[in-house]
Amino acid sequence: MENYFDVTFTLQQVNAISNLGLAHMGDGVYELMCRTYLCAAGDHTVKNLHKDTVNLVKAPTQAAFADKILPFLTEEERDFFRRGKNAHTHAAPKSASRAEYAKATGLETLFGALYLLGRRQRLNELFAMMMKEDD
């Protein structure tokens, strides 16, 4: 049986997945990381866990996080981000501009690609950068 918590695709396999397919995967990876981050803090009620998760996964927040990590991405990571950012999505949610939604899709595409490539350490590094409070 395949271990779906610990997969490692080749670069060729990841590149064969559509931009929005990678974003779909990355959406789940990113949300799971956000939920884990909030649970690890240990000071949230269930109601606040949900509210805080929603705040972290909404497109404007993801877009701001993308801006925060973009300078630190490798060329390959920037390529994955661009693939998602330039994907033809049909509509942005009311709570986000088209530009924010495009950046959020780019971030999710990057996270999906890194997850499928088995690059968990890099995912954690980028996520930690995003969660770090600016001084």
Side-chain angles (χ1 to χ4, degrees):
M1 181 175 147
E2 183 85 27
N3 179 352
Y4 292 104
F5 282 111
D6 190 21
V7 297
T8 304
F9 286 29
T10 66
L11 184 57
Q12 184 178 10
Q13 288 172 309
V14 171
N15 283 333
I17 299 170
S18 72
N19 301 337
L20 294 178
L22 290 175
H24 174 74
M25 175 58 69
D27 177 59
V29 171
Y30 176 76
E31 183 165 344
L32 181 60
M33 292 180 85
C34 289
R35 288 173 179 241
T36 303
Y37 172 80
L38 292 171
C39 284
D43 59 351
H44 290 80
T45 63
V46 172
K47 180 180 177 183
N48 287 341
L49 280 172
H50 177 72
K51 179 179 68 82
D52 292 345
T53 299
V54 168
N55 284 332
L56 288 174
V57 301
K58 64 186 179 181
T61 304
Q62 287 182 340
F65 284 154
D67 287 336
K68 195 172 183 179
I69 65 168
L70 274 171
F72 304 100
L73 298 181
T74 66
E75 188 60 38
E76 179 184 56
E77 291 167 346
R78 280 192 294 271
D79 288 344
F80 283 121
F81 176 80
R82 272 192 296 273
R83 275 181 64 180
K85 185 177 175 229
N86 296 331
H88 296 291
T89 54
H90 295 290
K94 290 182 235 174
S95 63
S97 69
R98 282 196 163 290
E100 288 171 329
Y101 192 63
K103 285 182 186 179
T105 304
L107 182 71
E108 290 172 348
T109 301
L110 170 63
F111 271 53
L114 291 175
Y115 173 77
L116 291 174
L117 289 167
R119 299 181 187 167
R120 310 302 188 279
Q121 183 174 342
R122 184 60 175 156
L123 275 170
N124 281 312
E125 289 169 3
L126 294 174
F127 190 80
M129 281 183 218
M130 291 172 7
M131 294 301 133
K132 185 173 185 254
E133 296 290 326
D134 294 326
D135 297 326

